[in-house]
Amino acid sequence: MLEGIMIGLTAAFSLQNLLMVVAGCLIGTFIGMLPGLGPMSIIAIMIPVAITLGDPTAALILLAGVYYGAIFGGSTSSILLNAPGVAGTVATSFDGYPMARKGQAGKALTIAAVASFAGGTIGAILLMIFAPALSSVALLFHSAEYFALMVVGLSAIAAFAGTGQVAKALMMTILGLILATVGEGALFNMPRFTLGMMDLQSGISFITLAMAMFALPEALMLVLNPARGSNADGSSSNKITNLRFSREEAKAMAPVIGRQSVQGFFIGVLPGAGATIASFLGYAVERNIAKGEEQAEFGKGSVKGLAAPESANNAACTGSFVPLLTLGIPGSGTTAILLGALIALNVTPGPRLMTDTPEVFWAVIISMFIGNLVLLILNLPLIPYIAKVLAIPRNYLIPFILFFTLMGAYIGQNNATELLMLVGLGVMATILRFADYPLAPLLIGFILGTMLEDNFARSMQLYRGLDFIIERPMTLGLLVLALVLVLLPSFRARRARKRAEGVADGD
Amino acid sequence: MKMTMTRRAVMAAAATVIALSGAGHAGGHQVLDQLHFVIPGGAGGGWDGTARGTGEALTGAGLVGSASYENMSGGGGGKAIAYMIENAESLDNTLMVNSTPIVIRSLTGVFPQSFRDLTLVAGTIGDYAALVVPADSSVADMAGLLDAYRAQGPDFAVGGGSVPGGMDHLVAAMVMQAAGEDPIAVNYIPYDAGGEAMAGLLSGEIDALSTGFSEAIALAEQGEVRILGVTAPERVPAYDAAPTFMEQGIDTTFVNWRGFFAAPGTSDEKVAQYIAALEAMYDTEAWEVVRARNGWVNIWNPGDDFRAFLEAQETEIGDLMRTLGFL
């Protein structure tokens, strides 16, 4: 392995390749910040450039830099504008946006940067040490386990079931699951619930729905209630650009980041799961582990709630390189595009990659370390300027949000109907917000719905019934875990209430 | 604003690089000033790659002055077809890319039109289909697969990256039917994408996988899967270790073609120009670079041959889908 690291170091530290990392990270970060442009479209744009480089190592380093940069940049729009551009950063907005609204935008961006750096770096260490051994882990899960994993992911909605909100959160989740059934699925050759409209045939796109649930209502609320927008609690822009988090916060976050980097990495290794599931699970697990007051903070601007999904999704992105490099199996749309680029450069990923072209394998891993470091160094000084977006007066900021929201929805599909759907769904979302319905569960239901249904139906077909729940111990285990995650908070709450009553009685 | 500038700069840089790399091979005689591609799917998909690769080769070889692209997803490709028909009069120099699903989806009625409503230009590239098993499987050839299938019945699961009634399912059913089995009895397990289906095969969830030949080659070369049969009439030079179904006594062939269509009512003269440009493209170095990069197989099917081919494919797929109960 040492020899490999040396090969990788010499390859990655050539002037050309260092330039590639920096260029990739910069391009990725800036484009990734635009709501609606995810890593997939950015990489697709960059592929012709990478291929003309001719050198597979340089090309991969460039593309990997773009990939990390885009994920990194994606959390910025989640935190500042509540407009997640990729499914993987939806969970980031749960606590990141409340923090920004409290006037702690700079701090939130710094935490995201540090957590991403830690997640990416720990992921790269795990990848370096365990990659060959992990190829079997990637194949451990069958459809039955993926189904159970999605159920565990759904239990993340328990986190939104604040006092008196349980029924509302459940209703929104089910609405999300229903919206996920629209269009042509993987299981039936006929479109469902398209109302005969051609534009609904490929379903509702994630970007459109995410923009409609988060970004658009945000802009509309600002218009309807101007007081809301006044520089977030009237704090000075000085505070917005302040990067520091306290020592106590660092101490609280460290174990979260450590746990979620490892957990996120392993979820990323599974080809059917990926960064989105990793971030939801990370959020759900950390919320359930947290105690008392800290738990109540989740969803209202908790540093832990921000650090968890950010470290998990970055670690998962690194983890998704395991099936890609060791088996040649892409676990996500983005890695599928990377696979295409690799093959175009005459590198065939698979079990023989490490022996046939070790320099490619190791250069990629070393470039991950460099890329993460470069991102951190590049972005920390930029954060005060990025955070200043929030100091922009309302009458400029609202059109800005609307412009990028509409553009994001349009660019994905190049389809004007998406704009109509965005506005329609956005108005619906605003009404739901007025009625105090939480919208995040709807998005979670929508994202997990398709995978939940596909994997469930596949398992049913393979086992010709529900036997897979009993026959596959891991499936059963995961389902029990989901049940515990859902029931534990209410059990704890009841016990706390009882204790409080007991004290009152004793008085 | 700075961000959009960056993006534009990047795209301009990409375009320049492509133009420069192509300039070396220029020298062909220019057939068309400009060409616009309508792509019925999003960026990064198979149709997108075909259109952009073809455009790159055509401009790089100097056969076409400039190429532009327009992604128009929706309705499983139906939206782009409707666009070509509705705007036929104003669509000079415009080609739409499509592939086998245009035949399948017009049969199932996903969209009301068919290839007959467009002007056929040519099929340019294709990929064969293959049945594969994990490299450590006890099944060594098609005879072995059929034995295992007869022994296990519905427990023998065949997966693929398409919906039931989609291409991967039809290929599996076609092979089993040609081998004398009941195509309806095959337990076909659908996956969302080829990659997921491949993971399903390697994890042991399914016993065999129906997939594109080029995808299968990559994994066979890495020693992960064994290709039991390919739907080509003869062994394919790109990977001649893979036997055909024909040589194993299973009389079936299939090509997943990709090709180009023009708006209805396009003049014969114009169609001749399109065909001339595409045909001349095959001999250029620029095309060879693009083709090799994507692992495409040249399958040239212009004009009337294209029509005959599509009609034959429609009949064959239609019959099979009726047998399977999808129509």
Side-chain angles (χ1 to χ4, degrees), chain A residues 78-99:
Chain A
S78 287
I79 292 172
L80 295 183
L81 306 176
N82 206 14
V86 250
T89 62
V90 168
T92 305
S93 66
F94 295 166
D95 278 295
Y97 184 66
M99 276 181 83

Side-chain angles (χ1 to χ4, degrees), chain A residues 440-500:
Chain A
L442 188 152
L443 209 56
I444 298 181
F446 177 77
I447 294 169
L448 298 180
T450 315
M451 290 185 275
L452 190 77
E453 186 194 4
D454 286 1
N455 285 301
F456 179 69
R458 246 194 315 270
S459 310
M460 289 279 283
Q461 203 185 333
L462 282 161
Y463 285 83
R464 270 161 283 141
L466 284 165
D467 291 355
F468 61 88
I469 296 174
I470 308 153
E471 280 179 37
R472 300 190 63 89
M474 211 155 49
T475 308
L476 189 64
L478 284 167
L479 289 174
V480 170
L481 174 70
L483 201 67
V484 171
L485 284 178
V486 171
L487 294 182
L488 197 62
S490 55
F491 176 71
R492 265 201 203 147
R494 184 176 299 172
R495 206 175 50 180
R497 214 180 305 137
K498 275 233 175 92
R499 199 177 300 150

Side-chain angles (χ1 to χ4, degrees), chain B residues 25-33 58-65 273 276-278 280-281 284:
Chain B
H25 316 297
H29 143 87
Q30 186 167 318
V31 184
L32 289 161
D33 284 344
L58 285 171
T59 50
L63 292 161
V64 170
Q273 275 185 338
L278 289 169
M281 175 185 78
T284 65

Side-chain angles (χ1 to χ4, degrees), chain A residues 197-263:
Chain A
M197 282 158 66
M198 223 173 230
D199 290 301
L200 282 177
Q201 206 130 2
S202 31
I204 298 167
S205 87
F206 161 76
I207 297 276
T208 306
L209 191 67
M211 295 293 159
M213 291 300 121
F214 288 141
L216 205 67
E218 207 56 56
L220 289 179
M221 296 292 261
L222 279 173
V223 177
L224 293 169
N225 180 10
R228 205 181 136 83
S230 58
N231 263 355
D233 294 359
S235 54
S236 64
S237 68
N238 216 1
K239 197 175 160 202
I240 292 182
T241 54
N242 187 6
L243 307 185
R244 298 253 164 92
F245 45 85
S246 69
R247 186 165 295 196
E248 289 76 50
E249 286 170 327
K251 221 178 244 172
M253 281 186 298
V256 173
I257 292 178
R259 268 195 301 270
Q260 289 316 315
S261 299
V262 176
Q263 183 185 314

Side-chain angles (χ1 to χ4, degrees), chain A residues 8-152:
Chain A
L9 278 174
T10 25
F13 271 106
S14 73
L15 183 65
Q16 182 203 4
N17 289 346
L18 278 178
L19 273 175
M20 288 299 144
V21 174
V22 177
C25 288
L26 267 179
I27 295 168
T29 314
F30 278 116
I31 306 182
M33 275 180 204
L34 301 178
L37 276 178
M40 206 163 138
S41 32
I42 305 171
I43 289 184
I45 294 168
M46 290 302 293
I47 277 186
V49 183
I51 285 172
T52 37
L53 291 171
D55 168 14
T57 313
L60 245 190
I61 287 177
L62 175 70
L63 291 177
V66 172
Y67 187 23
Y68 315 134
I71 299 157
F72 190 85
S75 39
T76 308
S77 53
S78 287
I79 292 172
L80 295 183
L81 306 176
N82 206 14
V86 250
T89 62
V90 168
T92 305
S93 66
F94 295 166
D95 278 295
Y97 184 66
M99 276 181 83
R101 284 201 45 83
K102 280 197 262 174
Q104 304 171 337
K107 187 166 98 177
L109 289 171
T110 312
I111 292 176
V114 173
S116 301
F117 170 74
T121 309
I122 294 175
I125 294 172
L126 292 172
L127 179 62
M128 187 166 79
I129 303 174
F130 297 118
L134 281 174
S135 58
S136 53
V137 175
L139 297 176
L140 209 58
F141 272 39
H142 284 193
S143 298
E145 281 81 37
Y146 281 119
F147 159 69
L149 193 67
M150 301 307 151
V151 176
V152 179

Side-chain angles (χ1 to χ4, degrees), chain B residues 44-164:
Chain B
W47 283 329
D48 191 55
T50 307
R52 287 175 199 268
T54 306
E56 183 188 328
L58 285 171
T59 50
L63 292 161
V64 170
S66 69
S68 52
Y69 312 92
E70 184 176 3
N71 292 86
M72 195 181 292
S73 42
K79 192 162 171 111
I81 298 173
Y83 170 81
M84 295 294 283
I85 294 170
E86 280 161 24
N87 300 287
E89 279 157 29
S90 59
L91 290 176
D92 279 342
N93 300 317
T94 301
L95 289 179
M96 178 183 72
V97 62
N98 220 301
S99 61
T100 314
I102 196 178
V103 176
I104 300 176
R105 288 180 186 154
S106 73
L107 278 169
T108 52
V110 169
F111 40 73
Q113 307 88 350
S114 79
F115 62 86
R116 289 184 185 80
D117 299 310
L118 298 158
T119 303
L120 308 188
V121 176
T124 53
I125 53 169
D127 188 14
Y128 296 106
L131 272 188
V132 303
V133 292
D136 56 9
S137 164
S138 59
V139 173
D141 51 18
M142 276 310 290
L145 181 129
L146 291 168
D147 286 343
Y149 172 69
R150 283 176 201 125
Q152 294 177 36
D155 280 338
F156 191 88
V158 183
S162 75
V163 295

Side-chain angles (χ1 to χ4, degrees), chain A residues 348-396:
Chain A
T348 318
R352 290 193 198 142
L353 177 72
M354 273 182 85
T355 41
D356 290 355
T357 43
E359 70 280 3
V360 174
F361 182 84
W362 289 107
V364 171
I365 291 186
I366 298 297
S367 79
M368 285 179 177
F369 288 107
I370 302 175
N372 276 304
L373 199 63
V374 167
L375 275 175
L376 193 68
I377 296 170
L378 276 180
N379 284 291
L380 283 182
L382 285 178
I383 284 175
Y385 302 100
I386 298 171
K388 277 230 172 83
V389 166
L390 292 186
I392 299 172
R394 221 173 33 254
N395 40 347
Y396 298 114

